[in-house]
Structures are given as structure tokens and as C-alpha cells.
Amino acid sequence: MTTGRAVRLEASEQGGRQTAPLPQEIIVIDDDRALLELTLLTVRAGGYRAVGFHDPLDALMWASDAEPTCIVSDLKIPGVEGLDLVAAFCALNRHAVIIVSAFVDVRMTVDAMRLGVDDVLPKPASDESLIRAIERGAAALPAVPVREDVAFTRRERQVAELMLAGNTTKQIAQTLALSPRTVEFFRASLLRKTQSPNSAALAS
């Protein structure tokens, strides 16, 4: 069942393996709607609840308020560069982050692990390997959200500098060769991390 941009699928009461309950739904992000639905069905069959997103900004906003859970994310999503999306998830410092990508190689895996990613799976991942990765991530989740010093990605720092210089979203996008939507993604991430209500407050 699809409600707005989020696809909510409750855990099945019959069938599938039963796993320890999580305090929050598993978050799944994929711009391919068909693959997103299939992944959500796999998570449900494994005994978990799940919420799916096509839009990375919506997913980040959801994750920023969520209790510790697992995030299963595609890597190549239009409008977001490389590992920037998973870096933002890892910076929350309380979720288990799992990448499922058709572009898995040694360098990408090493870079992802340095960011704090818990698992990297080739796409398409088998049902069994995905559920095992979620089980490992769930087992390592903190009982209470862990808050540490705010960490910013390279792109967030670039966007912040241009924001503080008074540049508009369009100007920042042109300067960094990004889409305006990607700039909005980083702007929202910066406001969340600094707990600023708006860009003006961030500059003060």
C-alpha cells in the first residue's frame, strides 16, 4: 500500500522468519519503484516492518527523527552524488546502514566502511543475504540513540560556506555543478545537524 511518498508495509503475521522486533521500521531507499517494492516485500517476509522512499530527502528527514533502526539504501540515486546520501545517514550515528548497489567495487566498499556503513551488498541482493545483513545490523543497534559531535561531509561544508556567503540555491547549484534538488538535500541536512530552524538562523 502506498501512502504519499512513503511505502508502508507491515510485518506479516504468517509466514517468513520471525526476528526480534525493532523499535522502528526498516528504512528502504531506491529510486526504482519496482525494485523498492520487491525489497520491501523481502523485508516483510523476513519478519520486519518497513517504510520505503523514492526521495532521498524524505528518507533523511524520516531517519533524523527515527529511533535506531536499519537503513537499506541504493547508492546511485539521481540528484545525489556518490556516497553523500549514506554519509548523511552515517552521521546520525545511531542507525545501521546497508548499501545495496550494482556498482560495488573494492574502493567504494572501503570508502563506505570508513564512513561507518555496516554492510555492502551487490545488487540485486538475494533475499537471504539481505535479511542476514539486516539481522546483523539490528543486533548491533544501540538501545538508546547515541549523540556525539556533529560531523559534516565535504559537500555539506561546501554548501554551508556558500549559504553563509549569501548564495541562493540556484547559485550554489551552479557553483558546485549540482542540481537544485541536491542542494536542498544538503541544506536540509545542515539545518537538521545544527538544529537551526532556517538558513538565517544557521548564519547567526
Side-chain angles (χ1 to χ4, degrees), residues 78-81 84 159 178-187:
V80 181
E81 179 184 340
D84 282 331
V159 170
L178 299 172
S179 70
R181 180 61 176 168
T182 299
V183 174
E184 288 300 326
F185 169 83
F186 290 118
R187 184 191 296 272

Side-chain angles (χ1 to χ4, degrees), residues 29-32 35-36 39 73-76 99-104 121-126:
I29 307 102
D30 200 315
D31 64 297
D32 186 313
L35 288 176
L36 176 60
T39 303
S73 180
D74 187 14
L75 185 62
K76 297 292 185 179
I99 294 176
V100 181
S101 175
F103 302 93
V104 173
L121 304 176
K123 188 177 184 178
S126 69

Side-chain angles (χ1 to χ4, degrees), residues 4-5 16 53 60 62 89 112 126 134-135 159-160 181 187 191:
R5 293 182 181 176
F53 294 93
L60 179 60
W62 180 281
F89 288 133
S126 69
I134 291 174
E135 289 172 347
V159 170
R181 180 61 176 168
R187 184 191 296 272
L191 294 179

Side-chain angles (χ1 to χ4, degrees), residues 97-111:
V97 180
I98 301 165
I99 294 176
V100 181
S101 175
F103 302 93
V104 173
D105 57 31
V106 173
R107 180 176 179 180
M108 186 278 288
T109 300
V110 170
D111 290 343

Side-chain angles (χ1 to χ4, degrees), residues 9 11 17-29 35-52 68-73 94-100 117-121 125-142:
L9 291 175
R17 287 182 294 173
Q18 295 303 311
T19 56
L22 289 176
Q24 191 75 14
E25 295 163 309
I26 302 296
I27 299 171
V28 182
I29 307 102
L35 288 176
L36 176 60
E37 295 287 351
L38 287 174
T39 303
L40 289 169
L41 289 172
T42 297
V43 174
R44 179 181 65 175
Y48 294 92
R49 295 182 301 150
V51 57
T69 190
C70 296
I71 299 174
V72 179
S73 180
R94 65 180 183 276
H95 300 303
V97 180
I98 301 165
I99 294 176
V100 181
V117 168
D118 292 78
D119 226 323
V120 179
L121 304 176
S126 69
D127 293 356
E128 185 176 358
S129 63
L130 178 59
I131 295 302
R132 279 205 305 261
I134 291 174
E135 289 172 347
R136 288 192 296 269
L141 290 175

Side-chain angles (χ1 to χ4, degrees), residues 139-193:
L141 290 175
V144 178
V146 178
R147 305 286 184 177
E148 293 184 354
D149 294 338
V150 175
F152 299 101
T153 67
R154 174 180 58 87
R155 279 296 192 198
E156 286 173 340
R157 290 193 294 270
Q158 291 174 333
V159 170
E161 290 173 359
L162 293 170
M163 284 173 58
L164 296 177
N167 290 272
T168 65
T169 294
K170 184 177 181 180
Q171 290 171 331
I172 295 173
Q174 292 174 339
T175 300
L176 299 179
L178 299 172
S179 70
R181 180 61 176 168
T182 299
V183 174
E184 288 300 326
F185 169 83
F186 290 118
R187 184 191 296 272
S189 179
L190 285 164
L191 294 179
R192 175 189 55 73
K193 288 183 179 181

